């Protein structure tokens, strides 16, 4: 086995320990996985270098809240509503500051990824507004490569984000927020796979004018990382950090409505999936109430696909969630809800 190249399947073969299958791996020597530790409390809302082959089993029990975990935790419940003002015609104007910067991101304990980011995180911030608002995204490219922001939704072609913005340059995207639902945004500069894989993407929520039912609201972006640039991912995550919510489960209350804004921005794999143990949920494609919903425990999304999951937990206890592609789960995409 080459010291400089190791596939994700090689990772799974090395030191496999139970369902996690990560102990002793080339990349995952220090990855933090589940020990049954603390919890992350959800908020209420109204509307690297390569390691040696000898693994450390003690690292699988680590409960340290690393910088990478803190990023994933913050992105779970943080929504950017922009700077708000009122126009002369009575409409709401929202202005957002977006900066593309090159930044190393911790994607697992001790593992860094040389990312291209919006506002310093992978995924980028979750922008939020209401249908009919006028939006202005003031974009500055402080990265080392040309970048752009392409928003899904309906807007004039000149605001579509397919024209690259050179390093050091700025551009303001302005358009009306429509239609309501869960949108996404990402860089649209060639080569697309590289710019998306490196981290330039995020969720973009357009709330309906009539507010949805009050719920605990969570933001989840499924993604992955190809560390050796061979076109195959070695890590899979939700919100950018492997096993983020294993040692620190997401805390929710029994029978409380939980709403998850879920999208897939995984590169190099055709689909990604979400599976919830011991329960069913309602899945609303694209987050639009006029779309046919599903009542299920597993859904799949191609890249760019997104939707809203609504669920209530009828019993107290730990409910696992993960990708139902076993390989993705074993390489970082799994966590727990702790229902109290």
């Amino acid at each position: 086995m080459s010291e400089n190249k190791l596939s994700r399947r090689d990772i799974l073969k090395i030191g496999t320990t139970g369902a996690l299958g990560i102990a002793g791996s080339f990349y995952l020597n220090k990855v933090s996985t589940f020990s049954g530790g603390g919890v992350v409390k959800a908020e209420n809302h109204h509307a690297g270098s390569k390691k040696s082959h000898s693994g450390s089993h003690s690292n699988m029990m680590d409960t340290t809240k690393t910088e990478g975990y803190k990023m994933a935790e913050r992105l779970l419940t943080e929504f950017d509503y922009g700077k708000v003002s009122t126009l002369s015609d009575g409409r709401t104007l929202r202005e957002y500051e977006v900066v593309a910067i090159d930044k190393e991101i911790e994607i697992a304990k001790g593992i860094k990824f040389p990312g291209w980011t919006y506002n310093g995180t992978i995924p980028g911030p979750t922008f939020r507004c209401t249908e009919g608002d006028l939006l202005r995204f003031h974009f500055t490219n402080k990265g080392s490569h040309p970048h752009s922001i392409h928003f899904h939704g309906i807007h004039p072609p000149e605001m579509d984000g397919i024209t690259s913005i050179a390093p050091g340059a700025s551009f303001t995207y302005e358009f009306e927020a429509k239609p309501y639902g869960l949108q996404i945004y990402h860089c649209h500069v060639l080569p697309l796979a590289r710019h998306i894989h490196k981290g330039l993407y995020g969720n973009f929520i357009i709330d309906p004018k009539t507010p949805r039912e009050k719920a605990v609201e969570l933001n989840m972006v499924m993604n992955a990382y190809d560390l050796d640039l061979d076109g195959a991912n070695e890590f899979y995550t939700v919100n950018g950090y492997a096993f983020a919510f294993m040692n620190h489960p997401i805390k929710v209350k029994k029978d409380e409505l939980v709403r998850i804004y879920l999208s897939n921005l995984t590169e190099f794999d055709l689909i990604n999936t979400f599976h919830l143990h011991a329960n069913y949920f309602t899945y609303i494609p694209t987050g639009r109430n006029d779309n046919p919903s599903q009542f299920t425990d597993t859904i799949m999304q191609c890249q760019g696909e997104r939707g809203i999951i609504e669920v209530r937990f009828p019993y107290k206890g730990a409910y696992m969630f993960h990708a139902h592609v076993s390989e993705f789960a074993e390489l970082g995409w799994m966590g727990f809800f702790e229902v109290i």
Side-chain angles (χ1 to χ4, degrees):
M1 184 180 299
S2 169
E3 188 68 25
N4 295 316
K5 189 173 181 64
L6 192 69
S7 75
R8 60 189 185 181
R9 289 171 178 80
D10 292 327
I11 291 175
L12 292 171
K13 293 176 187 175
I14 299 173
T16 302
T17 302
L20 299 179
I22 62 170
S25 77
F26 190 62
Y27 293 116
L28 299 174
N29 187 33
K30 293 187 177 181
V31 167
S32 171
T33 53
F34 182 61
S35 68
V39 295
V40 178
K41 185 175 181 182
E43 301 293 334
N44 281 306
H45 290 270
H46 291 274
S49 61
K50 299 177 181 178
K51 306 298 178 181
S52 69
H53 288 197
S54 59
S56 169
H57 285 237
S58 64
N59 287 325
M60 297 180 66
M61 304 301 292
D62 188 271
T63 59
T64 304
K65 289 191 174 183
T66 66
E67 288 306 310
Y69 164 76
K70 291 177 183 177
M71 177 189 72
E73 177 187 37
R74 178 165 60 86
L75 292 171
L76 185 68
T77 58
E78 184 175 272
F79 302 95
D80 185 352
Y81 289 88
K83 181 181 177 181
V84 181
S85 60
T86 302
L87 297 168
S88 59
D89 60 4
R91 286 188 301 165
T92 297
L93 170 65
R94 298 184 187 272
E95 299 187 76
Y96 306 85
E97 299 293 332
V98 190
V99 180
I101 56 173
D102 299 354
K103 183 179 178 181
E104 277 200 339
I105 299 293
E106 185 181 43
I107 64 171
K109 187 183 176 185
I111 306 295
K112 298 291 184 70
F113 177 76
W116 296 345
T117 76
Y118 293 122
N119 291 3
T121 63
I122 299 177
T126 301
F127 302 119
R128 194 160 187 177
C129 59
T130 300
E131 187 174 35
D133 292 349
L134 181 64
L135 311 180
R136 290 178 186 157
F137 291 89
H138 303 292
F139 175 59
T140 301
N141 184 5
K142 293 186 178 180
S144 57
H145 295 75
H147 296 306
S148 71
I149 311 177
H150 165 63
F151 296 92
H152 286 221
I154 301 172
H155 45 251
E158 60 268 25
M159 296 295 155
D160 200 36
I162 59 174
T163 300
S164 63
I165 309 302
S170 298
F171 183 81
T172 295
Y173 300 94
E174 179 174 314
F175 52 90
E176 181 182 333
K178 61 181 181 181
Y180 84 84
L182 177 56
Q183 314 295 348
I184 58 169
Y185 66 93
H186 57 84
C187 185
H188 212 289
V189 173
L190 298 175
L192 294 175
R194 180 165 174 78
H195 284 252
I196 292 176
H197 163 255
K198 290 281 280 183
L200 291 167
Y201 49 78
N203 278 350
F204 170 39
I205 301 169
I206 302 179
D207 289 316
K209 293 180 180 181
T210 300
R212 300 181 191 273
E213 180 181 354
K214 181 180 177 180
V216 171
E217 295 196 329
L218 305 172
N219 178 73
M220 293 187 182
V221 178
M222 299 186 291
N223 71 336
Y225 299 98
D226 172 16
L227 272 66
D228 57 9
L229 303 180
D230 66 348
N233 296 307
E234 287 80 44
F235 285 86
Y236 294 83
T237 86
V238 62
N239 289 4
Y241 189 76
F243 300 107
F245 306 113
M246 292 289 285
N247 280 317
H248 306 285
I250 301 166
K251 186 176 181 180
V252 298
K253 294 179 181 178
K254 176 178 175 294
D255 296 323
E256 186 173 40
L257 179 62
V258 177
R259 180 176 298 120
I260 302 169
Y261 296 90
L262 179 75
S263 66
N264 177 29
L265 273 302
T266 306
E267 193 59 77
F268 307 129
D269 289 281
L270 293 177
I271 63 169
N272 208 329
T273 58
F274 179 100
H275 169 56
L276 177 64
H277 282 212
N279 204 358
Y280 263 45
F281 55 80
T282 299
Y283 178 67
I284 308 165
T286 325
R288 289 191 57 86
N289 299 333
D290 50 2
N291 286 338
S293 63
Q294 303 175 46
F295 188 56
T296 182
D297 63 1
T298 306
I299 60 98
M300 64 180 181
Q301 295 178 337
C302 67
Q303 188 196 74
E305 195 169 357
R306 64 273 185 198
I308 290 176
I309 288 172
E310 293 192 338
V311 61
R312 297 180 192 268
F313 294 91
Y315 305 106
K316 294 182 180 180
Y319 292 74
M320 177 175 272
F321 64 93
H322 58 83
H324 216 301
V325 178
S326 299
E327 188 176 40
F328 295 9
E330 292 174 1
L331 291 172
W333 180 178
M334 59 168 64
F336 280 93
F337 291 104
E338 183 69 24
V339 181
I340 60 173

